Every structure is written in structure tokens, then in C-alpha cells.
Amino acid sequence: MLLLIILLLGMAARVHNLGRFSFWTDELYHVVAAQSLLESGEPYIPAKGEYGRAYPVTWITAFVFSRFGEGEGTARAPFVLINLLFLVVFYYLLRRLLSPWIALAVVLVLALSPHELRMAREVRMYGLLQMLYGTGVILFYFGLEGECEGRERPLSANRFPPSRPLLRQGLYLASSIVLLALALWIQPLALNFLLTLSAYSAVMFGATIVRRGVRGALISRYALVLGIL
């Protein structure tokens, strides 16, 4: 019930006067490219040529234009829905990772954050990037460390726990790689995940040395990740 109330508040804040203001400069890149995509089949921008950056955003905009007509509210509505979907997904992931109350608190902040509201109400790639990247990172963590299911999980230095089916963790890892690849397609900043993963694995590798010695660290998952990277 609390989650539903938060989502309703967030939706009200996102749709209020959604189409009142004209497209601003960065939005127009996708809007003009979407119009060109409908007219000629190519996302073309005058004086710039073919515009392939964050192509899914252009495609989504062209799709809603073709179904519901062109307009500021029409173009922005899909990205409001994407942002609300992210809040739902993020809540359930954080609930398993941390706790229900922490997940609700985080979602409440995101639902009413001015920065989040602005990002959700514009025809840009960042809302879609947030959903793909944020979901992908947490699923990768589940694949690497196992699910927490709302309970505190000690720093794990052993190999994949035998109590957790490798198939499930493999599915988490595969899903996260797909999502992160899509995020990278939309925005090269998603490559920062590799830096974050390297830093996390290095810190955990050091913690494993302290807890289990060098031999234990060398056979840990963190050594495997660092070796791959």
C-alpha cells in the first residue's frame, strides 16, 4: 500500500503540466530525428545528418508519434512510464538487497526528487539509461554474491556458495550483461561499470586475503573477476 501511494504521488508530480512547455534544445534532437524516421525511415537531422545517438529514444518517440500524434506531452509520456517502471523494479531489487523499509525510503526520495522529476519528464536517454544500468548493476551483484533477501549478508570471500544454484546466479549474470550492454548502446558512460567492478573486486580481494589468506583469495570469485578484467 505504501509503495502504491508513493507511486501515485510520483506519477502525479511527473504528469502535471507534462506538455505545457515546448521542447528544449536537447529534446529536439530526438524529436526531429523521430519525425524524420517516420517520414523517410532514417533518423536524420538537418545540418547534422543521420542521428544515431541513443537510437531507442528516437524509436520510442517515433512510435508514440505514429500512434498518438505529435506533441510535447505525447513525446514525454513514455519516459514518465519508464521512470515509474524503474521505481517499481528498483524497489523490489532493493527490498531483496537491503530491507523493505530502506527500499521504500529510497523510492520515496526518487519519486519526489526534483532532479529525478526533471529527468523523467524529458525526451532524453537518461531515464532509460537509469533503468537499464541500475537494474543491471544490482542483478550483477546478485549473480556475483547471491541474493540477500532482506537479511544482512556478511562479506563473502568464498567461491559461489554451494547452497545457491549456479543456474540462478548464471541467469542473474546473463540478464545483467544484456541490460548493461543496452545501457552502453544508449550512453557510453555505462562503461563506468567496469571501473566500479574493478574497484569493488580489488577491495574484496584484499578483504579476502585478510580473512582467508593469499591462497583463499586466489581461488575467490574476486580473483576471477580481476583476471577477466
Side-chain angles (χ1 to χ4, degrees):
M1 179 60 72
L2 287 177
L3 176 62
L4 180 59
I5 293 173
I6 292 172
L7 291 175
L8 289 175
L9 289 173
M11 183 174 65
R14 283 158 175 75
V15 301
H16 179 67
N17 287 332
L18 184 61
R20 178 180 178 184
F21 299 103
S22 300
F23 295 117
W24 66 291
T25 305
D26 285 356
E27 287 182 303
L28 283 171
Y29 284 107
H30 292 292
V31 170
V32 173
Q35 292 170 337
S36 173
L37 187 62
L38 291 174
E39 293 172 2
S40 65
E42 297 292 337
Y44 181 84
I45 295 180
K48 283 186 174 290
E50 186 174 350
Y51 187 74
R53 186 183 184 192
Y55 180 76
V57 176
T58 300
W59 187 90
I60 291 171
T61 307
F63 177 81
V64 295
F65 279 175
S66 68
R67 295 295 187 275
F68 306 106
E70 297 182 10
E72 284 81 357
T74 303
R76 292 166 180 158
F79 302 98
V80 169
L81 294 177
I82 287 171
N83 187 252
L84 291 172
L85 176 61
F86 167 72
L87 294 182
V88 175
V89 172
F90 206 52
Y91 166 78
Y92 284 105
L93 291 177
L94 285 181
R95 179 173 177 163
R96 299 190 74 84
L97 182 64
L98 299 171
S99 75
W101 290 109
I102 292 177
L104 279 174
V106 171
V107 170
L108 176 61
V109 171
L110 290 175
L112 301 178
S113 162
H115 176 74
E116 189 77 9
L117 289 173
R118 178 180 176 179
M119 183 172 63
R121 289 165 53 92
E122 58 185 20
V123 188
R124 297 287 286 146
M125 79 280 289
Y126 298 108
L128 184 57
L129 174 67
Q130 181 188 54
M131 185 180 73
L132 295 172
Y133 186 84
T135 305
V137 167
I138 295 181
L139 288 180
F140 191 94
Y141 180 85
F142 286 163
L144 184 65
E145 299 284 12
E147 294 179 78
C148 301
E149 298 181 351
R151 299 185 295 273
E152 182 179 356
R153 182 184 180 86
L155 292 179
S156 119
N158 57 309
R159 288 169 287 183
F160 285 110
S163 60
R164 293 290 181 182
L166 286 178
L167 177 59
R168 174 181 290 186
Q169 290 186 275
L171 289 174
Y172 282 139
L173 289 173
S175 300
S176 72
I177 290 172
V178 171
L179 292 174
L180 291 169
L182 290 173
L184 180 60
W185 181 27
I186 291 172
Q187 173 56 258
L189 284 174
L191 278 174
N192 288 336
F193 171 72
L194 296 180
L195 296 177
T196 304
L197 179 60
S198 298
Y200 174 79
S201 299
V203 170
M204 296 302 294
F205 183 79
T208 306
I209 293 177
V210 173
R211 290 162 57 91
R212 297 179 180 271
V214 175
R215 188 172 182 276
L218 291 176
I219 61 174
S220 69
R221 70 198 72 175
Y222 311 114
L224 176 61
V225 172
L226 289 172
I228 293 175
L229 296 176

